[in-house]
Amino acid sequence: MKLFNRKKESVSMRDQLIVFFSEIKYNYRILEESDQRTVFHLGVGINIGNSDAFVLIYPAINLVEITVVSPINIPENKRMEVAKFLDLADYITYYGNLQMNHQDGTIRCKTYFNYGKENVDLETIRFNFFGAFNMIERYAPGVLRITFGGKDANSVMAEINGEINPLNN
């Protein structure tokens, strides 16, 4: 009868992420491992260039943060308009958070998920991990249109949303 009452062993979030990275065949480095946090670093090639991903585990609050840093750096004279665009994009997204560092012009996207004592479904990890990359790739063309194409945030967002501006015809 013990066969049916067997409890599933819980695996640490660190080990669950290692299994996930192995499953998707991504190499990683552990940059930091302490009681406060564990930090994984991955270099990932996406359509717009090579990006860095950081996966942070905060065990005290049972939180995993996934941060993807875009390969695009925004020139200082375009940062305010790009920030406006990222704010508009953030407003219509369901998950993830697009951010720009106004000091150096780097863009990043963060996703988060909580975990408990039970193992996290690999699909939850996959959704949040690749979701951050998808957000960067979805909005990068708009960022580039503003930075190098002379467009403004509102017109670029309208294009992304499929709104037709008769003045552009």
Side-chain angles (χ1 to χ4, degrees), residues 4-5 7 10 15 26 59 74 98 102 128 135 141 156:
F4 297 105
N5 294 328
K7 280 191 171 181
S10 141
D15 291 343
Y26 278 26
I74 308 305
L98 291 163
H102 286 270
N128 284 280
M135 290 274 289
V156 170

Side-chain angles (χ1 to χ4, degrees), residues 92-105:
I92 62 170
T93 58
Y94 297 104
Y95 71 99
N97 178 259
L98 291 163
Q99 303 170 341
M100 183 181 62
N101 181 325
H102 286 270
Q103 300 301 315
D104 65 11

Side-chain angles (χ1 to χ4, degrees), residues 71-142:
I72 302 170
N73 285 326
I74 308 305
E76 194 169 343
N77 65 331
K78 298 291 185 174
R79 290 179 189 164
M80 288 305 291
E81 198 63 28
V82 169
K84 181 179 178 182
F85 172 73
L86 295 176
D87 189 44
L88 292 169
D90 246 1
Y91 187 73
I92 62 170
T93 58
Y94 297 104
Y95 71 99
N97 178 259
L98 291 163
Q99 303 170 341
M100 183 181 62
N101 181 325
H102 286 270
Q103 300 301 315
D104 65 11
T106 57
I107 295 174
R108 66 185 182 182
C109 181
K110 288 184 174 186
T111 60
Y112 305 89
F113 65 90
N114 290 94
Y115 64 94
K117 293 186 188 316
E118 299 296 318
N119 292 342
V120 174
D121 180 39
L122 284 180
E123 282 308 308
T124 299
I125 298 171
R126 183 184 316 280
F127 177 81
N128 284 280
F129 182 76
F130 288 114
F133 290 101
N134 292 338
M135 290 274 289
I136 291 286
E137 286 192 318
R138 177 172 185 204
Y139 293 106

